Amino acid sequence: MCRVVDLRQAVLAKNDGAAQALRSGLTARGTTVVNLLSSPGSGKTALLERELGLARGRAVPVAALTADLATENDATRLARSGVPVKQVLTDGLCHLEAAMLGRHLDGWLPEDTRLLFVENVGNLVCPASYDLGESLRVVLASVTEGEDKPLKYPTAFGLAQLVVVTKTDLAQAAEFDEAAFRAHVQQVNPGVEVLLTSARTGEGAGVLLDRALAAGDGSTVHVPVMAGQQHPAHHHHHGQHADGHDHAQDDHGEDHAAHGDHRHAPAPAAR
């Protein structure tokens, strides 16, 4: 058991180093990374597609990298926004890691990119423990998933710097208790902002984009209590997954990932 724990910590420590290097390099070139985490079917692709379109309309140089176990469906959808989009197929791996992300960005990400949205694998367990070099970590949950989602996945919600509720157009039909959800979020992550959105009606449109741009411009970003002081550079705390399983058995080299590249001319630079 000790060897398993030691291996997990070694993998996470290696990832932390890669994440910090990636963050430093991207920050130096003026690129802000936004890490989007959620369960499958939360509606994050629909929301991201809308935000990318708004960014392009505002002449903000933006790109998106989306990760899935299989298919390039999400990249195809996001590419409709007209911004550079890349698909990463993890071949069964339940999360992205910093070194893997760095390899996929190398030679692909346009130099003038101001914002990079990373749509992580649909999973609220594994991705929560891996820093990707992001400047803003966003956790999304739809109104159809239940108000107790933050309590069931305390690590994911507890390390979020922003929480986004999606599909609010279905709130009444789903009998979503907004007050209860907010209370549960605050229980695991006091002080974090909660945004309400609907890709269908446009509620909250552009707010995620605004928060991402603000983070890139140096505005204060929420520091979760759970993050503690162990990793002051990126405010993430790494530990055993909430389900108690060991998902970190190796450093998941690039053999796990396949690519799909949907290139589009980037929007005019506007910093």
Side-chain angles (χ1 to χ4, degrees):
M1 180 62 182
C2 290
R3 294 184 62 186
V4 173
V5 172
D6 290 344
L7 179 58
R8 178 186 301 116
Q9 294 304 321
V11 169
L12 293 175
K14 181 177 180 180
N15 183 80
D16 283 349
Q20 185 55 41
L22 184 59
R23 180 183 296 103
S24 297
L26 290 173
T27 299
R29 59 182 270 179
T31 300
T32 298
V33 177
V34 181
N35 186 7
L36 304 176
L37 295 84
S38 79
S39 301
S42 68
K44 67 178 178 294
T45 304
L47 178 64
L48 181 54
E49 182 180 0
R50 178 182 281 271
E51 297 297 297
L52 293 176
L54 291 172
R56 189 166 187 263
R58 290 164 54 178
V60 176
V62 63
L65 180 145
T66 182
D68 273 308
L69 280 77
T71 82
E72 297 191 6
N73 294 348
D74 287 352
T76 300
R77 290 176 58 187
L78 295 178
R80 297 185 304 204
S81 65
V83 310
V85 174
K86 186 169 189 177
Q87 178 77 56
V88 174
L89 300 181
T90 64
D91 192 26
L93 186 62
C94 62
H95 61 277
L96 286 173
E97 296 179 7
M100 180 193 300
L101 177 61
R103 287 192 294 269
H104 283 284
L105 297 183
D106 188 26
W108 168 74
L109 188 67
E111 285 294 330
D112 69 340
T113 302
R114 186 173 176 188
L115 289 179
L116 170 64
F117 286 95
V118 177
E119 184 180 13
N120 218 315
V121 179
N123 184 338
L124 283 176
V125 180
C126 309
S129 293
Y130 287 84
D131 180 9
L132 296 183
E134 68 263 22
S135 296
L136 184 65
R137 177 177 287 207
V138 183
V139 174
L140 303 90
S142 71
V143 300
T144 59
E145 295 178 68
E147 298 82 2
D148 61 349
K149 203 78 170 183
L151 302 181
K152 290 183 175 180
Y153 299 92
T155 301
F157 283 89
L159 291 175
Q161 293 167 304
L162 181 66
V163 174
V164 176
V165 178
T166 61
K167 304 184 182 182
T168 56
D169 53 292
L170 299 176
Q172 184 174 358
E175 298 183 346
F176 177 68
D177 187 336
E178 180 186 337
F181 179 84
R182 288 181 179 274
H184 293 154
V185 169
Q186 295 305 312
Q187 185 175 332
V188 299
N189 193 345
V192 70
E193 182 180 14
V194 178
L195 301 179
L196 301 180
T197 67
S198 168
R200 178 172 295 178
T201 68
E203 180 181 5
V207 181
L208 175 58
L209 175 61
D210 290 340
R211 297 295 185 272
L213 289 170
D217 289 340
S219 295
T220 301
V221 175
H222 173 69
V223 180
V225 173
M226 187 179 290
Q229 301 301 318
Q230 293 187 10
H231 301 279
H234 49 84
H235 310 302
H236 292 163
H237 172 73
H238 300 313
Q240 183 171 337
H241 293 293
D243 62 0
H245 295 167
D246 177 21
H247 297 280
Q249 296 183 353
D250 55 39
D251 64 358
H252 304 300
E254 61 186 334
D255 289 344
H256 287 282
H259 326 235
D261 187 355
H262 297 249
R263 292 183 181 270
H264 296 265
R271 294 187 179 275

